[in-house]
Amino acid sequence: GNSVTQMEGPVTLSEEAFLTINCTYTATGYPSLFWYVQYPGEGLQLLLKATKADDKGSNKGFEATYRKETTSFHLEKGSVQVSDSAVYFCALSPAPGGYQKVTFGIGTKLQVIP
Amino acid sequence: NAGVTQTPKFRILKIGQSMTLQCTQDMNHNYMYWYRQDPGMGLKLIYYSVGAGITDKGEVPNGYNVSRSTTEDFPLRLELAAPSQTSVYFCASSHSQGAAQETQYFGPGTRLLVL
C-alpha cells in the first residue's frame, strides 16, 4: 500500500536558520504530494502541493520539489521565524481512479527559538 | 466564510457513555472525512462520505458511526466510549476526490478524553 515517511522530531532551530524536513513516499503511479501545517490548537491547513514529477510547490517562503527518482518531497525554508513553529505533515494523494484515501505522515514538530 | 466548524472543542467522557461530534462545512463540498490524530501516529481515517446519503468506512471505523443527511453536516457518533478512543478528532472536506490534487480543508478539532 501507499506510505509516507517523515521524522517525528521535534526539530529545534534558531531564528533565521535553514530548515529541511525530509519526506519520502511509497506509491504506485503518479500521486500528488502535499505539505500541511498545523499551528498550535488549530486544524491542518495546506502549505503547498505538487502534482507531477519535478514540480516545485512554494508558499510563505517554504519550498518542496517532487522528485520521482528518489520518491521524495523534502520541505525547505531558507530562514525560519518563530511564527513557523508548528507541526508539518507530508501527505500523498493517489493517482486518479475512484476514491482512494490520502495518506499522511506522522508529522514533524518544528520549534523555532529566538 | 466559516469553512469547516466542529463542536465541541473539548469533552471528557466516562467509559460507556455516548456522544456526537458535530461537523459542518459551508463550502458546498461533496467529500467529507473524519480523522483521529494520536501522538506519533499521524492521522487515521475513520469514515468518509462522497455526498449526502453516502458514507463508507476508513482505516479505523470500529466504535464509531456516521451519517450524512445533508451536504453540509457530517456528525460522528461514539456509542460506547472506551479509553482507546481518547484522541483528537478532525473533520475535513474537499470538493471532490476525482482529481488527485484536491486539497482537504480541516476543522479546528475536538479533543476527547475518555476516563
Side-chain angles (χ1 to χ4, degrees), chain A residues 17-75:
Chain A
F18 184 86
L19 168 71
T20 299
I21 300 177
N22 290 338
C23 172
T24 57
Y25 68 90
T26 302
T28 56
Y30 296 89
S32 293
L33 301 172
F34 305 79
W35 278 101
Y36 284 85
V37 58
Q38 183 182 27
Y39 297 105
E42 299 182 9
L44 282 70
Q45 57 186 273
L46 180 70
L47 180 61
L48 54 84
K49 67 182 180 183
T51 59
K52 60 183 187 294
D54 300 324
D55 264 3
K56 177 185 284 187
S58 61
N59 186 24
K60 300 180 180 180
F62 291 88
E63 293 182 340
T65 301
Y66 187 165
R67 301 289 188 197
K68 182 72 174 174
E69 64 276 12
T70 55
T71 61
S72 65
F73 193 54
H74 305 321
L75 183 68

Side-chain angles (χ1 to χ4, degrees), chain B residues 9-23:
Chain B
K9 291 185 178 178
F10 177 66
R11 181 77 181 269
I12 298 175
L13 282 182
K14 294 182 179 178
I15 294 172
Q17 287 186 321
S18 62
M19 76 166 292
T20 299
L21 283 66
Q22 302 292 344
C23 174

